Each structure stands twice: as structure tokens, then as C-alpha cells.
Amino acid sequence: MKALQIAATGMAAQQMRVDVVSHNLANMSTTGYNARRADFADLHYQQLTRPGTIAAEDGTMLPTGVQLGLGVRPASVSVVLAQGSLAMTGGDLDVAIEGAGYLEVTLPDGTAGYTRDGALKRSAEGLIVTADGHEVAPGIVIPDETRSLSINASGEVYAYFSDQVQPQLLGQMNLVGFTNAKGLEAIGSNLLRETEASGPPLAATPGQDGLGTLRQGYLEESSVDAVREVTELIKAQRAYELNSKVITAADQMLSATVQTR
Amino acid sequence: MDATGYTTLTRQSGLMREMQSVANNIANVSTTGFRREGVVFSEHVKRLEGAPSISMATATARQVDLSQGTLSGTGGAFDFAIQGEGFFAVQTPQGDRLTRAGSFTPSAEGLLVNMDGHPLLDDGGAPIFVPPDIGPVSVGQDGTMSAGGVPLARIGVWQPVDPMALRHEGGTVFNGGEIEPVDTAVVLQGQLEDSNVSPVQEIARMIEVQRAYELGQSFLDREDDRMRTLVQTLGK
């Protein structure tokens, strides 16, 4: 009886949806987190009678035939690339990206990672790093004597010193864009990695090529919408129950068959 | 042999198929762009040797319910929903296919593709190219995509020339045979069409199928009793 397996695929799909929702809710306060959404597609169809079969009795062509679906499968978990709201922090090294770009960081294995988490820090060596200590490209060094920092919308980093009136330009922060940002691979810790699907990184100065600008003293909050997620959770739960009802009904039909003499 | 068994058997196996179709509809209750399916029973008459003909039931055809599903807003620039009739056309290795699942993404090559990586076709049947870094793309109700006031392409809305030719293929795509453009359809941006499965209707159908099946089984039981009694009576 295939109804059992079909309902099982439905339950598995809804379970995955709950997984995605719980991951979103768990990351409700993660800086720069983008909500994920699970998408589903129906499975292939079993052809009991192919459409267009010639009926044996009278030679007419069956216009539709009988095809029975075999359930559902997860098709993708896609990223909802909506801008999160900006929260003011006042931190010198807190930068929010207003637009579609990413900051590039150097991972411990030497490859590049990308992040929208702009809660940056100064390492012991004076480098600008992420909260996890990954160096932010292009490796701007903040001198020890720096009194305060200023990062403007186009990514220029200026340092103010006690003994100088004029600020000194330390470097230029870049933003990186992707043709298909949804194709980036999430590797945890707010980091993303380039894939075949995302296309190569396209670096640009903030404000150019539609990549967005930087805003110092702000952080981008998670784009998770709690109300939406809870609605999604309820929908998933109800759909799960519906599928389990199908399993019960199919089981009762089976048991009727078995009990027949 | 008595034909009762056969008649009931055809009905029972048809009900099993219907149960399978209910299960598939419910499993796809949250599949974007899914169209519910039903099974149609028809009478199957067979001539018997030296006896009157018997009528049986077979599930011979299936129907795709093309009614509109509810729309849910996603805000995605490349999420489209069709209001009214018609389908998006996507290019697959097996040929052009129709779908109502309007969730697309620009691929690394700059083509607008669906979740399975099949390119979306414009009103002329050519894949839609979205140049990188084009800025925000807006789509008018007639399907015209533009960026910064410059038209890029027009999303094609299609329908099969022969409505009966529509076949489900999995992955929410249909094989429509020969297709033609629809002019009246309205394309909405930032929306996705949900599955048009109505849970209440499906559960009602499921209970109906289940009860009908149980009725058939108890009928078989009673028929068996009748024959048994007959044999016993005659054997005395």
C-alpha cells in the first residue's frame, strides 16, 4: 500500500520544515543572519495507464490515463536575502552593510569566506578581524596610538591620533557581491563560502555596482521574522498531523484487508 | 465462478489508487505551485461466456485540479505567481515544461532558473538572462521585467494547446505537449502560489475512501459467508 510511504514522505518533509524554522528561530538574534525557507517539489509519477494508450475494447485513445504521484521531496532550502534592520551600537568597529554585499575574511586554511556580520574587532597585532578572529580583507592595521576610528559609507577607514588634527587614512574596506548570492554555502559562524552555483566574487568599493554602503556604529540584525516563523511552524505541525491521519487511515484499510477471510 | 468477487475487487483496487492520490495530495500540501489530482472511476463492462455481462469499476482516468492556490508574499525579487490561467515555461533536457512554482534565482551564468536549475523562458520561448549587478529588478503585471526603467525581458505565460495533454511529471512540472502563449494572465512579483490542496476536502475524501473500502471488505466477508453456508447446506 503506497499511501503509507507517500504519507511518510509528507511527514519527513514537514519535519524538515520544522528543522528550518527552528534554525531560524534559534538565530533570531544572530547578527547578519538571513532567514532560510524550505521549498518542496512533488516526486515522480507512477504511470499505471499512460495517457494516449489505445483502449483495447473499442480503440479509443485514453486522454489522460492514470498516473499516481509518489509523494514529496525537499527541493531546496533557500536563503531569503532581505535586509535585516539596523541596530545602533555606537561601536567604532561595528559596521552594517546597507545593500547586497558581503565582507571578505580570510579563513584559517587560507581560503576566503564571506560574512554580513560586521561586529569587527581589533586583534592583538592591530589587524581588523571578525569576532571569531578571522582577518578582514584587505588587512587594515590599526596603530596602537589610535584614539578613535571613523569608517565612512564608501569603506575608507580613518584613524584619529591625540597628537594630530588631521585624521589619517588607514585603508579601504571592500565589499564583495555574487551573481547568485543564494548559491553561497553556509559554513556556520556567520560565514559563507563561494560555490559553483554562486559564481565568482565580484569585489567593489562600497557604493558601487549596487553592492551597498557601510554604516559605522550599527549592526545588521537577523532578518528572521518571529511572527512569520511561528505561523510557518503551526502550518508545518498541522500538515504533519494531516499526513499522520493518512497513515492511520491507510493502516485501517490494510487491517480491513488482512481481517477479511 | 461467481462474479461478485471480481466486481468488488475492481472497486477495492480502484479505492486503493484513490487513497494513494489523497496521500500524494496531502503530502504536497506545502509544495509551491502543486496542483491537486483526483482519480476518476468509470464503469467497465465485460461480456461473460453464457451469462449476462457484468459491470465493474476501474480507475481509468485522473484529473488535475487547476484552480488557483492562495498566494503568499515572500518579497523575493524573483518569486513570481500567476493570477489566472497559464503556466511558466522552463527549459529541461527533455524539452519545455510547464510549472506554476514561480520561485526562481539567477544562476552563476546569469540565467533565471528554478529550484531544479531549469531556465525560465520568456514570451518568445528563449531563456531569460539577468545580467549581474543590474540592480533591483521589477516585474509588471504583464510579465515585463525591467531594471532601472530599461526593459529586460517579458516572462512568458503559456498554456497547452490541448488542455487534456497536461501530464504531471514530478518536481511540480507538467508536460503540456504543444504550448501556446496566454495574453490575459497577470504575473505578480514577490509572491508565490501555494499548493491548491484543501486539507479539509482531502480528509473528507480520505474518510470516504476508507469507509467505502471497509464496506467492500465486509461485503466480501458476507459473500464468503453466504457461499460457505450454501456449500454446507448442500453438503448435508
Side-chain angles (χ1 to χ4, degrees):
Chain A
M1 181 129 180
K2 293 199 188 61
L4 285 171
Q5 283 102 307
I6 295 169
T9 64
M11 288 173 90
Q14 297 304 332
Q15 213 164 344
M16 201 195 91
R17 200 162 158 208
V18 173
D19 290 348
V20 173
V21 169
S22 49
H23 185 249
N24 282 341
L25 286 174
N27 284 291
M28 247 185 85
S29 343
T30 302
T31 310
Y33 177 80
N34 279 316
R36 307 291 201 272
R37 202 189 59 225
D39 291 313
F40 301 102
D42 47 355
L43 279 174
H44 282 275
Y45 284 73
Q46 181 190 14
Q47 310 279 341
L48 294 176
T49 315
R50 285 202 171 270
T53 305
I54 310 289
E57 289 91 2
D58 47 9
T60 54
M61 191 190 277
L62 301 176
T64 53
V66 184
Q67 303 175 81
L68 288 174
L70 296 173
V72 64
R73 68 174 161 94
S76 75
V77 177
S78 57
V79 183
V80 184
L81 291 172
Q83 172 88 43
S85 53
L86 300 189
M88 200 179 87
T89 61
D92 266 1
L93 274 171
D94 284 341
V95 284
I97 302 164
E98 284 182 289
Y102 295 85
L103 291 171
E104 186 181 330
V105 301
T106 311
L107 300 178
D109 61 358
T111 59
Y114 305 93
T115 185
R116 281 184 69 87
D117 177 1
L120 305 176
K121 309 280 180 284
R122 181 180 180 275
S123 73
E125 296 84 44
L127 278 165
I128 296 182
V129 295
T130 63
D132 284 338
H134 303 307
E135 185 187 322
V136 177
I140 297 168
V141 180
I142 306 168
D144 285 340
E145 319 76 67
T146 309
R147 190 161 51 87
S148 69
L149 276 177
S150 159
I151 302 171
N152 67 15
S154 54
E156 287 165 338
V157 184
Y158 289 94
Y160 289 86
F161 299 102
S162 317
D163 53 350
Q164 288 173 25
V165 180
Q166 284 291 318
Q168 190 189 324
L169 181 64
L170 295 180
Q172 161 79 52
M173 291 181 78
N174 285 327
L175 283 179
V176 174
F178 294 90
T179 316
N180 176 23
K182 286 185 179 182
L184 289 169
E185 178 195 5
I187 53 170
S189 306
N190 287 351
L191 290 169
L192 300 158
R193 216 171 6 204
E194 173 196 344
T195 66
E196 192 84 20
S198 69
L202 313 154
T205 311
Q208 284 179 2
D209 299 340
L211 285 186
T213 53
L214 294 180
R215 186 168 284 253
Q216 190 190 20
Y218 287 83
L219 284 177
E220 184 186 0
E221 294 194 315
S222 167
S223 70
V224 175
D225 175 354
V227 179
R228 196 199 141 94
E229 296 301 328
V230 170
T231 324
E232 192 78 352
L233 187 66
I234 293 170
K235 272 160 124 181
Q237 193 184 349
R238 293 293 170 233
Y240 188 87
E241 285 169 15
L242 279 178
N243 280 294
S244 81
K245 279 269 188 303
V246 174
I247 291 201
T248 315
D251 177 46
Q252 279 168 3
M253 278 169 75
L254 262 185
S255 104
T257 316
V258 174
Q259 280 161 17
T260 307
R261 222 169 340 174
Chain B
M1 149 107 194
D2 204 305
T4 325
Y6 294 123
T7 322
T8 317
L9 193 65
T10 55
R11 168 93 176 129
Q12 296 297 85
S13 65
L15 284 169
M16 279 279 193
R17 287 179 180 183
E18 186 156 10
M19 187 65 185
Q20 192 178 335
S21 117
V22 170
N24 190 53
N25 287 340
I26 290 183
N28 284 291
V29 76
S30 38
T31 301
T32 307
F34 180 77
R35 300 291 87 150
R36 69 171 285 274
E37 280 205 332
V39 178
V40 178
F41 285 88
S42 65
E43 193 181 27
H44 182 85
V45 182
K46 193 85 189 155
R47 193 166 63 84
L48 297 178
E49 289 295 328
S53 57
I54 62 161
S55 163
M56 297 181 276
T58 45
T60 50
R62 133 222 86 99
Q63 48 165 15
V64 183
D65 179 354
L66 290 178
S67 61
Q68 178 92 36
T70 52
L71 301 182
S72 51
T74 62
F78 299 114
D79 285 344
F80 310 123
I82 299 173
Q83 206 169 37
E85 278 179 30
F87 297 87
F88 298 112
V90 291
Q91 196 176 51
T92 75
Q94 290 80 39
D96 294 349
R97 292 292 183 266
L98 299 171
T99 184
R100 293 277 288 195
S103 176
F104 298 96
T105 334
S107 70
E109 294 84 43
L111 294 176
L112 211 50
V113 297
N114 73 359
M115 295 175 295
D116 291 328
H118 302 315
L120 171 68
L121 301 180
D122 66 9
D123 56 351
I128 294 178
F129 182 69
V130 180
D133 307 328
I134 191 135
V137 171
S138 59
V139 173
Q141 296 216 327
D142 63 343
T144 310
M145 284 173 74
S146 53
V150 183
L152 284 175
R154 185 167 171 229
I155 300 168
V157 177
W158 304 79
Q159 68 182 14
V161 175
D162 171 16
M164 297 303 272
L166 208 58
R167 293 213 309 266
H168 250 141
E169 273 200 348
T172 27
V173 295
F174 289 93
N175 184 344
E178 211 178 316
I179 54 174
E180 62 187 7
V182 187
D183 288 330
T184 50
V186 170
V187 177
L188 300 170
Q189 191 184 20
Q191 311 249 22
L192 283 178
E193 188 179 351
D194 292 340
S195 168
N196 70 347
V197 174
S198 147
V200 179
Q201 202 186 331
E202 293 302 322
I203 287 292
R205 212 172 120 218
M206 182 187 87
I207 294 170
E208 206 179 300
V209 169
Q210 192 190 349
R211 295 294 169 236
Y213 188 86
E214 283 167 6
L215 189 71
Q217 289 308 118
S218 76
F219 179 74
L220 276 182
D221 250 353
R222 252 178 285 161
E223 179 62 13
D224 177 59
D225 272 347
R226 191 180 69 80
M227 301 264 276
R228 200 181 294 265
T229 326
L230 182 76
V231 171
Q232 276 169 358
T233 315
L234 289 180
K236 267 179 196 161

